[in-house]
């Protein structure tokens, strides 16, 4: 294999060196060496001291762990050796050329100089999430993070009475006045009381006759402190937010109070005390703001999703209590369970509901309508709170998923004994079950017995492994990022089905193999690593990859919420920096490698 004719030109095509000034890049090329490597040659092995970084110019390099299991298969423009270099420790992996290769050897001392002098290089090799300022502080929070978007409006000729009725129906203290030319003014409860109730204005007159025309406004780029100072100075409680003539939002004293007090505990408390689903929905409507706040204050992804899921759990338990208050006490013990993202405690800004009911075997046919009504009450309430009905009807409202314990035992026994495609799908979903409200004794033995039986059935395990490989990371030729080719999400990545879900599926397989009772994906990976199902280095790589993908997904949703958009899972990779794209690709390569190890019969890298 020929050596690169121009190392400077080659390095200029490799990130992060492509960000270096020309003179620095030329000096770097002079410090490097192009080294040919024969097929089968070992570059370094476990326990070796590494003094160089290696960049592949041609060929393929296999990276294996201490047990000899493949962790990565690297091609041109990938680098390796940085893990041991940056940790200043002996190699925990072995690197071998599986085909004739050319390596660019970069001395460690030169790499450390680059990281010291050039932030782009330092960021590339430091994969830890950067610390963020505490944006919960009113001194730094922007109005865009706090304001109520799309505030209630009416036209100037709307009758005062109609405007008041709209305010009452929406339980708000102001209404904005706008027409085709843009924002015109605002009417508050103070206006209604002072000008109509006390002042005698005709309730049928146009609302424009009592509005405050051209009120004080701010742009979305203002800080919340600007709002606070303006309210204190002028003695007002409402600040419209505008973009030119267009009204984009409003900030009220209530918003400021919530900004100071908002926390997952605050929302849990509001949900737990709600008198009905409508009041509960007003609390859960603040979840997007909480999600942004949790992310902006630097919380790890598994903390964010756990706190968001706690709110759904509380809503479910409150609805169960409200249902029993309306329907009467349950005739026999029951247990409401969640599966899917709620079951795994991994809810984000986009969640439907997946749930079921396990009933005591003492239940009679005559008592089943009670539980059908209970399920409908809770499911309808969750939908009103933003947890939309499951499109696959995986809900307790489906009679199939509202059954006595003996039927659930038959379900799991049948799926394990006859693992057809539907059984694989259902078993995958149901292995994520987590009790939410009711008699938890109905679940413990079912879970433990099912895990034992499933782990002993090699055919079922093989089918589960096969099923876990259906969702593949979005990697194309040469392991570059492969975006969706057509449809509404053309040229985008699906960070859920092709990013997070493949790791979720792997975690479920590891839990099955190790009979692990935890349902959370990250907890499953940690437990599998501790139990030896995942090797130390393989587990570390997969955890790092999962953390990066899950964090990027949440960051994307936070950006959408800030922009006034509905949060989703599809990301255009062109909005990412080269640094982000490179590490996202590396994370997908790790997941793909782990899938290959499981699918090849090597188990879970243990």
């Amino acid at each position: 294999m020929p050596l690169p004719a121009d190392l400077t030109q080659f390095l200029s095509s490799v990130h992060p060196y492509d960000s270096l000034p020309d003179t620095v890049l030329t000096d770097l090329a002079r410090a490097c060496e192009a080294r040919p490597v024969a097929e089968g040659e070992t570059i370094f092995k476990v326990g070796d001291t590494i003094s160089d970084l290696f960049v592949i110019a041609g060929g393929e390099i296999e990276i294996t762990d201490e047990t000899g299991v493949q962790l990565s298969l690297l091609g041109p423009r990938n680098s390796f050796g940085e893990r041991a270099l940056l940790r200043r420790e002996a190699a925990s992996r072995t690197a071998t050329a599986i085909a004739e290769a050319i390596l660019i050897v970069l001395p460690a001392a030169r790499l450390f100089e680059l990281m010291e002098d050039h932030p782009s290089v330092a960021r590339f090799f430091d994969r830890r999430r950067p610390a963020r300022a505490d944006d919960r502080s009113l001194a730094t929070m922007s109005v865009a993070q706090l304001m109520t978007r799309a505030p209630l409006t009416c036209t100037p000729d709307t009758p005062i009475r109609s405007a008041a009725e709209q305010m009452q129906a929406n339980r708000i203290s102001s209404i904005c006045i706008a027409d085709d030319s843009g924002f015109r003014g605002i009417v508050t409860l103070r206006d209604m009381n002072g000008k109509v109730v006390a002042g005698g204005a005709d309730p049928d007159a146009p609302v424009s006759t009592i509005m405050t025309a051209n009120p004080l406004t701010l742009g979305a780029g203002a800080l919340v402190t600007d709002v606070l100072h303006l309210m204190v100075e002028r003695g007002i409680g409402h600040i419209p937010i505008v973009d030119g003539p267009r009204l984009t939002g409003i900030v009220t004293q209530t918003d400021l109070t919530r900004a100071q007090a908002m926390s997952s505990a605050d929302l849990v408390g509001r949900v737990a005390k709600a008198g009905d689903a409508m009041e509960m929905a007003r609390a859960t409507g603040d979840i997007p703001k909480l999600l942004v706040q949790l992310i902006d204050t630097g919380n790890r992804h598994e903390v964010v999703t756990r706190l968001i899921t706690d709110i759904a759990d509380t809503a479910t338990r409150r609805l169960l209590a409200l249902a029993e208050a309306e329907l009467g006490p349950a005739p026999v013990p029951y247990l409401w369970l969640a599966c899917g993202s709620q079951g795994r405690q991994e809810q984000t800004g986009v969640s439907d509901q997946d749930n079921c009911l396990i009933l005591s075997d003492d239940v009679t046919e005559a008592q089943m309508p009670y539980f059908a009504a209970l399920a409908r009450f809770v499911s309808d309430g969750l939908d009103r709170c933003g947890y939309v009905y499951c499109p696959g009807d995986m809900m307790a409202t489906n009679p199939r998923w509202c059954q006595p314990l003996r039927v659930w035992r038959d379900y799991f026994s049948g799926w394990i004994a006859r693992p057809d495609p539907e059984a694989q799908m259902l078993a995958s979903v149901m292995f994520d079950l987590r009790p939410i409200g009711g008699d938890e004794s109905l679940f413990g033995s079912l879970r433990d017995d099912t895990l034992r039986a499933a782990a002993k059935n090699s055919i079922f395990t093989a089918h589960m492994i096969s099923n876990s490989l259906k969702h593949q990371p979005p990697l194309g030729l040469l392991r570059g990022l492969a975006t969706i080719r057509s449809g509404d999400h053309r040229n985008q990545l699906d960070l859920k089905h092709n990013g997070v879900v493949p790791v979720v599926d792997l975690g479920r397989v590891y839990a099955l193999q190790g009979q692990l009772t935890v349902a959370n994906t990250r907890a499953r990976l940690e437990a599998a690593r501790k139990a030896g199902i995942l090797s130390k280095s393989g587990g570390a790589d997969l955890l790092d990859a999962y953390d990066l993908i899950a964090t990027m997904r949440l960051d994307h949703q936070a950006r959408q919420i800030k922009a006034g958009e509905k949060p989703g899972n599809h990301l255009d990779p062109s909005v990412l920096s080269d640094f982000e794209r490179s590490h996202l690709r590396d994370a997908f390569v790790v997941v793909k490698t782990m899938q290959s190890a499981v699918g090849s019969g090597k188990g879970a890298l243990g």
Side-chain angles (χ1 to χ4, degrees), residues 183-249:
F183 176 58
R184 297 284 300 278
I186 187 172
V187 171
T188 67
L189 282 179
R190 182 186 297 179
D191 296 320
M192 290 290 183
N193 290 331
K195 298 177 182 179
V196 183
V197 178
D202 182 2
D204 294 319
V207 73
S208 59
T209 60
I210 64 166
M211 75 179 184
T212 300
N214 302 313
L216 290 169
T217 62
L218 288 171
L223 297 179
V224 174
T225 44
D226 297 328
V227 174
L228 184 60
H229 293 167
L230 204 55
M231 286 182 174
V232 171
E233 180 184 353
R234 302 298 179 91
I236 55 180
H238 304 77
I239 304 292
I241 309 301
V242 298
D243 180 6
R246 185 172 64 89
L247 177 72
T248 60

Side-chain angles (χ1 to χ4, degrees), residues 324-341:
E324 289 195 31
E326 179 170 308
L327 302 172
V332 297
Y334 70 88
L335 178 63
W336 184 284
L337 304 98
C339 46
S341 60

Side-chain angles (χ1 to χ4, degrees), residues 174-474:
S174 66
I175 187 169
C176 294
I177 317 303
D179 57 19
D180 292 341
S181 64
F183 176 58
R184 297 284 300 278
I186 187 172
V187 171
T188 67
L189 282 179
R190 182 186 297 179
D191 296 320
M192 290 290 183
N193 290 331
K195 298 177 182 179
V196 183
V197 178
D202 182 2
D204 294 319
V207 73
S208 59
T209 60
I210 64 166
M211 75 179 184
T212 300
N214 302 313
L216 290 169
T217 62
L218 288 171
L223 297 179
V224 174
T225 44
D226 297 328
V227 174
L228 184 60
H229 293 167
L230 204 55
M231 286 182 174
V232 171
E233 180 184 353
R234 302 298 179 91
I236 55 180
H238 304 77
I239 304 292
I241 309 301
V242 298
D243 180 6
R246 185 172 64 89
L247 177 72
T248 60
I250 191 168
V251 178
T252 68
Q253 288 179 330
T254 301
D255 294 324
L256 288 174
T257 301
R258 287 180 180 172
Q260 291 173 310
M262 168 125 12
S263 67
S264 59
D266 172 57
L267 289 192
V268 164
R270 290 165 60 192
V271 168
K273 297 174 183 176
D276 55 31
M278 184 67 76
E279 184 180 351
M280 202 177 299
R282 285 193 289 274
T284 57
D286 284 336
I287 287 177
K289 291 181 181 178
L290 175 64
L291 181 72
V292 170
Q293 181 175 290
L294 290 171
I295 294 168
D296 281 349
T297 49
N299 288 284
R300 289 179 58 85
H301 71 89
E302 69 271 22
V303 174
V304 175
T305 55
R306 170 64 182 270
L307 295 176
I308 295 297
T309 304
D310 284 348
I311 299 168
D313 291 355
T314 303
T316 304
R317 285 190 287 268
R318 181 57 180 157
L319 287 166
L320 286 169
L322 291 172
E324 289 195 31
E326 179 170 308
L327 302 172
V332 297
Y334 70 88
L335 178 63
W336 184 284
L337 304 98
C339 46
S341 60
Q342 185 183 358
R344 297 189 305 274
Q345 296 178 299
E346 294 167 4
Q347 287 190 314
T348 66
V350 190
S351 297
D352 59 5
Q353 53 176 292
D354 299 281
N355 46 61
C356 65
L357 272 169
I358 298 178
L359 312 178
S360 166
D361 283 337
D362 294 333
V363 69
T364 65
E365 193 63 35
Q367 294 167 335
M368 292 301 289
Y370 174 93
F371 292 105
L374 178 93
R376 176 53 59 192
F377 186 101
V378 176
S379 185
D380 287 349
L382 289 173
D383 180 71
R384 179 162 290 183
C385 290
Y387 306 103
V388 299
Y389 300 119
C390 174
D393 204 19
M394 187 69 68
M395 298 183 295
T397 50
N398 182 339
R400 187 179 186 186
W401 311 127
C402 177
Q403 292 291 334
L405 176 59
R406 63 178 179 275
V407 175
W408 281 100
R409 288 189 178 279
D410 289 342
Y411 283 164
F412 279 103
S413 296
W415 295 334
I416 293 169
R418 297 175 295 280
D420 57 30
E422 184 190 37
Q424 295 169 39
M425 182 275 291
L426 293 174
S428 294
V429 172
M430 294 303 177
F431 274 133
D432 294 343
L433 284 175
R434 183 172 60 88
I436 304 298
D439 185 349
E440 294 193 16
S441 68
L442 293 169
F443 181 62
S445 62
L446 173 64
R447 176 195 58 206
D448 296 342
D449 293 347
T450 298
L451 279 173
R452 277 195 297 270
K456 292 177 181 177
N457 190 315
S458 59
I459 296 177
F460 175 78
T461 301
H463 279 282
M464 283 289 289
I465 290 173
S466 176
N467 191 58
S468 74
L469 304 180
K470 290 182 178 178
H471 295 99
Q472 293 286 321

